[in-house]
Amino acid sequence: MSQPFPPARFAGYEAAPNIALVKYWGMRDDRLVLPRNSSLSMTVSRLRTRTWVRFDPSLRSDRFSLNGRPAGGGPLQGAVDFLDVVREEAGVSMFAEIRSHNNFPTASGLASSASGFAALAGAASLAAGLRWSPREMSRLARRGSGSASRSIFGGFVEWQAGRRPDGRDCFARPLFRADHWPELRDIVVLIADAPEKRVRSARAMQETVRTSPAYSERQRTVAGRLAALRTALRTRSADRFLALIMEECDDFRRVCETTVPSLDYLTPSSRAVLAAVLDLNRRAGHPVAGYTHDAGAHVHVFTFQKYVPRVRSRLRRIPGVSATRVLSPGPAARVIGVRSRSA
Ligand code: PMV
């Protein structure tokens, strides 16, 4: 049994969101969050979640505040379920207090669950006295939200699906560091009328597995696309990289749209962003940008520093685009401190 360290003091951890370039969509085990295919992402700069956790014998229940407000409902339940996993691993029976802050709008479609559960995995395991490696932390973060397994690492990250039923071989690993491709940029295009998520991703993807006639074809091709993307990244092949992320995004959208009932995450403005990227490439005569999106209406447009002004001014003119933010590959999750009060 591990000793919470130091007892009743807050352990702090920070993590950034990631954007999937090859998507995780479908689980082979939904309790252990074991995916059906490996995925590949980029952890981003500038955005982050900071989370402080303490286990305290005087607490009568778990507490969770998000951006200074007590959380309830689904978010609180998700945090409690996750703490149960940590308590079991650490042999700790105390309740915990969690204080979490995002420096970006929560549930804005900017993957707050990835940075949120990565930061919580780090803070809670530290507070519970578990001295874990990043790989072990990645395995733990996965239990909160699959994509969180990738936010433990910076730069370009692959989450390997593994084969074992117990998930011991299912964790993320860093592929290339954040400074691997210094010119690469991710312009996040925020859509003003982005609807709230109606169905959690974890549930929606299982509906896809069950009902989409395109899903088995995706499962046949996705590993090859991941390998090709790994090579495009390693060799910094801009044209291949941009083509592959769009091909993957289109495939992901196809399985969502053919799910019964159909999952349509985009708004007309999001679709106008995708069309503008294709038009920019057509006019340039070669690829200057590539799009991708997750289970939400916002779009990530990848490009290179020299094209940012051109691409950004085009995207900003699209009706319904509320803001654009230019991000780069970002850092790994890290400890931010241990103290008697949270920051
Ligand atoms: O980790 P979850 O349950 O939030 O699901 C993530 C699903 C996608 O964002 C669409 C794809 C991915 O790999 O991040």
Side-chain angles (χ1 to χ4, degrees):
M1 183 179 281
S2 61
Q3 249 325 301
F5 169 79
R9 293 183 74 192
F10 280 98
Y13 222 84
E14 168 179 297
N18 69 76
I19 171 70
L21 302 173
V22 173
K23 316 288 179 188
Y24 144 60
W25 198 252
M27 289 177 269
R28 63 187 161 90
D29 182 317
D30 52 6
R31 189 181 69 83
L32 294 175
V33 192
L34 304 178
R36 287 174 178 261
N37 62 268
S38 299
S39 55
L40 194 160
S41 63
M42 186 184 95
T43 301
V44 301
S45 63
R46 295 181 60 194
L47 312 182
R48 50 141 186 84
T49 300
R50 284 194 173 146
T51 297
W52 296 86
V53 175
R54 70 184 172 108
F55 286 91
D56 189 327
S58 70
L59 291 172
R60 291 287 159 262
S61 62
D62 290 320
R63 294 189 202 159
F64 176 24
S65 78
L66 185 55
N67 297 325
R69 295 213 184 123
L76 175 62
Q77 195 53 51
V80 170
D81 292 347
F82 189 77
L83 287 169
D84 286 341
V85 176
V86 177
R87 278 187 278 258
E88 192 183 322
E89 291 283 349
V92 166
S93 54
M94 284 173 273
F95 290 112
E97 177 175 1
I98 305 170
R99 297 184 189 177
S100 196
H101 292 264
N102 292 327
N103 73 344
F104 58 94
T106 308
S108 62
L110 293 177
S112 60
S113 73
S115 56
F117 278 107
L120 181 57
S125 57
L126 189 61
L130 295 165
R131 295 285 169 278
W132 273 3
S133 67
R135 175 174 293 184
E136 288 167 314
M137 225 109 79
S138 168
R139 231 189 252 126
L140 172 65
R142 188 196 81 219
R143 299 287 297 272
S145 163
S147 56
S149 66
R150 300 185 307 240
S151 273
I152 296 296
F153 300 101
F156 301 89
V157 181
E158 182 172 333
W159 171 21
Q160 56 184 52
R163 288 167 184 269
R164 292 176 55 125
D166 64 3
R168 296 304 296 167
D169 56 355
C170 184
F171 46 79
R173 61 190 179 97
L175 279 184
F176 305 105
R177 290 173 13 171
D179 60 2
H180 173 71
W181 205 344
E183 305 82 24
L184 189 66
R185 295 291 178 273
D186 169 14
I187 306 178
V188 183
V189 185
L190 295 170
I191 303 298
D193 55 354
E196 286 268 325
K197 251 188 207 181
R198 280 176 299 121
V199 185
R200 282 195 62 213
S201 292
R203 241 193 71 203
M205 63 179 74
Q206 295 306 79
E207 296 286 291
T208 298
V209 173
R210 230 168 34 82
T211 64
S212 166
Y215 191 75
S216 57
E217 176 61 17
R218 168 167 174 75
Q219 287 313 100
R220 270 194 293 278
T221 52
V222 69
R225 197 150 53 235
L226 191 149
L229 187 62
R230 216 193 280 122
T231 304
L233 276 168
R234 183 168 49 75
T235 55
R236 298 188 199 87
S237 311
D239 293 8
R240 281 298 286 151
F241 173 80
L242 297 174
L244 281 164
I245 66 168
M246 289 194 280
E247 186 184 307
E248 163 64 8
C249 177
D250 293 346
D251 194 48
F252 164 64
R253 194 169 55 258
R254 185 157 44 243
V255 295
C256 290
E257 286 173 353
T258 53
T259 298
V260 185
S262 175
L263 299 164
D264 182 5
Y265 293 111
L266 302 186
T267 69
S269 303
S270 324
R271 290 182 193 280
V273 171
L274 308 191
V277 168
L278 296 178
D279 188 54
L280 275 161
N281 290 344
R282 217 161 18 234
R283 282 167 196 261
H286 64 103
V288 295
Y291 56 72
T292 191
H293 60 79
D294 279 340
H298 308 300
V299 183
H300 293 247
V301 177
F302 279 77
T303 188
F304 299 92
Q305 181 52 44
K306 62 181 169 191
Y307 303 129
V308 166
R310 189 200 311 180
V311 175
R312 198 178 189 193
S313 73
R314 173 73 191 266
L315 299 175
R316 273 174 162 163
R317 290 205 308 270
I318 296 171
V321 168
S322 60
T324 56
R325 297 186 75 170
V326 183
L327 309 180
S328 300
R334 64 180 185 102
V335 179
I336 48 176
V338 175
R339 43 179 87 149
S340 49
R341 293 167 60 84
S342 74

